[in-house]
Amino acid sequence: MTRSPEPNRKRQRVDRHQQHSGESASTSTIMTRSRSRSTAQPLPANAVVPAPLAAVHEPGSSVASKGAQTNFGDESEVLESHQDSIVLTSKMLSELGSDQEVISKLGEAFSEPCTLARSFPQADALWAVDCPVDAADVRAAYSFIFENTSTEVHDELQRLTVDAINTMNAEPCDEHDIQMSAILIMLLNPKITEYVNGDSTPVFPELCSAIMNQPSSQRTSLMQYFATSDAAPNTRGSLPYTAVTGVRTIPDEQLLGSDSEQASFERYVDIFQSYVTQEMVKAAQRVARPAAAGGEPTTQKVSLHGLSSCSLLAVVQCMALVNSYNNTHKMVSYTAFYNDAVNEHIDIKDDVPRFRMPDGVSFCGYPFLLSPTTKSEIIRIESVILMRTELQDSFFRAMFSGVTCPYLVLEVRRDNLVRDTLYQLDLKFSQDLRKQLKVRFVGEEGVDEGGVQKEFFQLIVRDVFSSKYGIFRASENSHFYWFRPLVAPGKDALEEIRLTGQLIGLAVYNAVILDIHLPPAMYKKLLGVPVTRDDLREVDPELHHGLMQLLNLTPDELEFLERTFEVEYEDLGELHTHELIPGGAQTLLTTDNRNLFIDKYVDF
């Protein structure tokens, strides 16, 4: 039931640093970018690694003073032997004497994507394995430009960025790994979502198109850059090892980085979110109705189809790529992808029908943006559309094949509610289940206008989830329901479980809220998504605590327990055992296999 833990990339980096510590200073390396390939070149023992631009300039001045340096061995120029391959760093900008020199240097760096990619290299080759771009240095450079240079420089930076993106889309490059570095550098520009082309169309969607046009492997590399670029400490100020002795100078907790990979990844998610938000708000304002006398303008709803003018689809598709990576690697909470502006302004009545079209463009195709409230409303509207369609079809069929009831009618007895309901549902065709539900209690008069239907669901849910019915059991330590263990579930038992699910689906379809508490693990099981130990904590906190205690036991204590890979459970008053693995009855629990035991137990 659980997936294997994801490798800890930060711990791997620590291990690589520790392995590297035994090497001599002459084999220390630094990652630089060439036009065709990333290469690791020797770092001289007396190299000086520059600190990032941080508080090295005076506000109001056109340029900053020379940045601080940290020496390892003899004092020398920063990366002197590699200046021919490095195009731009924040320190280079800070040393320029005028705005025109800044413009000239930017023009050199942004002349083409491959040249831009050789800027801001990660100084430590070991960290560069995860991300070749020094994100902190890139941010420092942009900060210097926007805080200490004129609007002429800002405008030129915009023009150069737009040209670089257009070049990337117009002239595909075989050096995709180089382009990923250039894309990352442009994404770090705090004004990238505001830039426009000469015809005033936003340029950010074109940058997203450039990302989507890359091979799958390179898009995955960019996602890894998102997770690691801000997680790695900026190594320009101090290397984790002295260049002379190879002894680590930074403690383990600092080496892991003050910013987590989760925080780094979320920063990039926010870049896409900010653009989606600004375009949704603009679109809603464009179609807003004029204000009535003394009132405020009425904000209209907008659909993804109607936002083609700002190419929002390309951005949303790129966010889908980021979300897919997040689903696999669990970098941030899924709620980080909810967009408040989309949920506020989405035109559900237009989006839902378009989603049903073969080539329809709809926010419904990108559910990671939508909150549970919006999704609930989408389900309701979808149900109304299907009911209306089925009603029309019923009248059409009645014209040719005789009388056909336009509703799904259930006639049940109060004293035999569950059996009557499941029996009648088993006799219905799939098209009948798409009709609007009407319930009649035998021996009672009245027309179901919604009240009888709600009472019906309240009563049947109470009975189906009761312990005497035997399908579900409630955890004593939580408010969730879970399936009762069955030794050998027969055909009838499985059919009842299926019909129970059908009944719950009917309630959702007819917009009836049920007082049922099902854990997230159950929905994961339905979707085929592996569940985790944390899911077990929600279902059975006491069992979860007991299993976690196994991780703290010594080998002697585990041996004393004489525990095997078996699980005991009770069914109809009888105690039964189940082997978690083949031959589990003969497999003793040890420190080597206890994680496997826990995972198999959770899955059971």
Side-chain angles (χ1 to χ4, degrees):
M1 179 164 142
T2 61
R3 59 183 176 87
S4 299
E6 288 290 333
N8 190 313
R9 289 190 293 273
K10 290 182 282 190
R11 175 55 58 185
Q12 290 174 345
R13 290 199 292 269
V14 172
D15 294 339
R16 289 199 297 270
H17 277 291
Q18 292 171 341
Q19 293 170 3
H20 184 62
S21 64
E23 299 178 1
S24 64
S26 61
T27 60
S28 298
T29 58
I30 182 168
M31 182 67 71
T32 62
R33 306 292 289 184
S34 66
R35 180 179 178 84
S36 60
R37 210 53 86 214
S38 299
T39 59
Q41 300 181 1
L43 176 65
N46 61 351
V48 181
V49 185
L53 182 67
V56 297
H57 56 270
E58 296 180 5
S61 62
S62 61
V63 294
S65 61
K66 188 173 182 178
Q69 298 180 356
T70 302
N71 293 299
F72 293 97
D74 298 334
E75 295 184 1
S76 61
E77 289 300 317
V78 177
L79 302 176
E80 181 178 359
S81 61
H82 303 285
Q83 285 292 354
D84 56 337
S85 61
I86 297 176
V87 179
L88 183 64
T89 65
S90 62
K91 184 175 184 299
M92 291 180 183
L93 286 177
S94 70
E95 293 175 337
L96 298 176
S98 67
D99 285 352
Q100 289 304 316
E101 290 183 9
V102 173
I103 290 175
S104 176
K105 194 63 179 177
L106 290 176
E108 178 186 351
F110 281 82
S111 59
E112 58 181 52
C114 294
T115 306
L116 179 61
R118 297 201 301 273
S119 304
F120 311 105
Q122 180 58 253
D124 185 351
L126 296 177
W127 289 99
V129 171
D130 293 316
C131 181
V133 176
D134 189 338
D137 200 37
V138 178
R139 295 182 192 277
Y142 283 127
S143 176
F144 168 76
I145 291 171
F146 292 122
E147 294 178 10
N148 297 275
T149 62
S150 64
T151 55
E152 181 183 2
V153 178
H154 305 172
D155 294 341
E156 183 64 12
L157 176 61
Q158 175 175 339
R159 186 190 68 78
L160 292 170
T161 303
V162 171
D163 287 348
I165 294 172
N166 291 335
T167 299
M168 198 175 295
N169 284 316
E171 303 174 9
C173 175
D174 293 334
E175 300 174 290
H176 299 290
D177 56 336
I178 293 291
Q179 288 202 351
M180 292 298 97
S181 295
I183 288 173
L184 184 67
I185 291 171
M186 289 187 284
L187 278 173
L188 289 169
N189 186 337
K191 296 185 180 296
I192 187 64
T193 58
E194 303 173 13
Y195 285 173
V196 295
N197 285 297
D199 57 358
S200 298
T201 57
V203 74
F204 188 71
E206 297 180 18
L207 179 59
C208 292
S209 296
I211 295 173
M212 299 305 296
N213 290 336
Q214 302 298 317
S216 176
S217 60
Q218 297 305 319
R219 295 200 300 264
T220 301
S221 295
L222 182 62
M223 299 302 105
Q224 293 170 350
Y225 294 172
F226 288 175
T228 57
S229 62
D230 281 338
N234 185 353
T235 55
R236 290 191 180 278
S238 57
L239 288 174
Y241 303 90
T242 63
V244 176
T245 64
V247 176
R248 183 149 63 95
T249 59
I250 297 180
D252 186 76
E253 61 272 14
Q254 185 177 346
L255 186 61
L256 291 176
S258 57
D259 279 339
S260 67
E261 293 183 351
Q262 290 77 11
S264 175
F265 193 82
E266 190 162 12
R267 287 191 184 98
Y268 291 93
V269 174
D270 289 342
I271 295 173
F272 296 97
Q273 289 281 39
S274 65
Y275 180 83
V276 173
T277 297
Q278 83 178 25
E279 292 304 323
M280 285 294 295
V281 172
K282 288 179 182 178
Q285 291 173 345
R286 284 195 298 267
V287 297
R289 294 176 182 174
E296 296 181 355
T298 303
T299 302
Q300 291 290 88
K301 301 295 184 178
V302 294
S303 65
L304 184 58
H305 174 79
L307 291 170
S308 57
S309 60
C310 65
S311 302
L312 189 61
L313 179 60
V315 181
V316 173
Q317 289 174 337
C318 202
M319 285 192 69
L321 173 67
V322 181
N323 178 68
S324 177
Y325 183 87
N326 184 66
N327 289 339
T328 303
H329 296 83
K330 310 300 180 188
M331 301 305 305
V332 298
S333 170
Y334 59 88
T335 59
F337 288 85
Y338 291 167
N339 187 281
D340 293 340
V342 170
N343 287 288
E344 179 181 356
H345 299 297
I346 180 176
D347 187 353
I348 299 179
K349 293 182 179 179
D350 181 66
D351 260 41
V352 171
R354 289 191 180 278
F355 180 63
R356 294 165 56 85
M357 300 178 184
D359 56 347
V361 177
S362 167
F363 279 117
C364 298
Y366 305 93
F368 55 86
L369 293 169
L370 308 177
S371 67
T373 301
T374 302
K375 291 173 182 175
S376 176
E377 183 65 14
I378 289 173
I379 292 174
R380 188 190 68 80
I381 292 179
E382 173 77 0
S383 300
V384 170
I385 293 174
L386 290 175
M387 288 180 186
R388 187 179 301 149
T389 301
E390 191 58 38
L391 183 62
Q392 294 171 348
D393 291 346
S394 295
F395 285 124
F396 182 77
R397 287 193 297 267
M399 294 173 60
F400 298 95
S401 59
V403 177
T404 301
C405 182
Y407 301 105
L408 170 62
V409 180
L410 296 178
E411 296 189 12
V412 296
R413 296 167 293 177
R414 286 184 179 272
D415 58 351
N416 202 22
L417 190 60
V418 176
R419 295 298 177 185
D420 284 356
T421 301
L422 298 184
Y423 175 74
Q424 291 182 51
L425 286 178
D426 194 33
L427 298 177
K428 301 297 182 181
F429 296 104
S430 59
Q431 63 265 26
D432 293 328
L433 299 178
R434 290 195 291 267
K435 299 176 181 178
Q436 184 178 353
L437 177 64
K438 298 289 184 180
V439 178
R440 298 174 185 165
F441 287 107
V442 175
E444 299 181 18
E445 298 182 358
V447 178
D448 186 5
E449 295 293 343
V452 178
Q453 181 187 107
K454 291 181 180 179
E455 182 188 6
F456 162 76
F457 278 113
Q458 288 175 351
L459 294 175
I460 197 168
V461 164
R462 181 197 63 189
D463 292 345
V464 167
F465 284 84
S466 67
S467 57
K468 70 176 183 179
Y469 192 66
I471 293 181
F472 297 94
R473 61 178 176 83
S475 172
E476 296 179 357
N477 301 305
S478 71
H479 59 283
F480 290 118
Y481 287 96
W482 193 253
F483 296 106
R484 180 176 62 84
L486 299 174
V487 178
K491 181 179 179 181
D492 292 341
L494 294 176
E495 186 66 13
E496 287 183 347
I497 293 175
R498 184 187 69 82
L499 292 173
T500 300
Q502 202 172 61
L503 180 67
I504 295 174
L506 265 181
V508 174
Y509 185 68
N510 286 271
V512 178
I513 299 176
L514 301 178
D515 186 20
I516 301 176
H517 301 280
L518 302 177
M522 185 169 293
Y523 300 104
K524 287 185 176 181
K525 282 288 189 180
L526 292 174
L527 295 172
V529 176
V531 294
T532 65
R533 298 174 184 180
D534 288 339
D535 294 319
L536 177 63
R537 181 194 289 121
E538 293 182 321
V539 178
D540 195 332
E542 185 175 351
L543 175 59
H544 174 271
H545 177 73
L547 290 176
M548 293 302 101
Q549 288 293 99
L550 294 177
L551 299 175
N552 301 323
L553 299 181
T554 65
D556 292 339
E557 290 171 334
L558 286 175
E559 183 179 1
F560 177 78
L561 289 178
E562 296 184 348
R563 185 66 186 264
T564 60
F565 274 64
E566 290 181 299
V567 176
E568 294 183 350
Y569 64 93
E570 185 177 328
D571 181 26
L572 300 178
E574 297 183 7
L575 194 62
H576 302 273
T577 60
H578 171 79
E579 289 188 336
L580 297 176
I581 60 174
Q586 290 77 42
T587 305
L588 287 174
L589 177 63
T590 66
T591 54
D592 294 331
N593 61 23
R594 57 186 171 188
N595 276 296
L596 175 64
F597 175 83
I598 294 173
D599 291 343
K600 292 295 183 180
Y601 202 125
V602 170
D603 187 52
F604 170 77

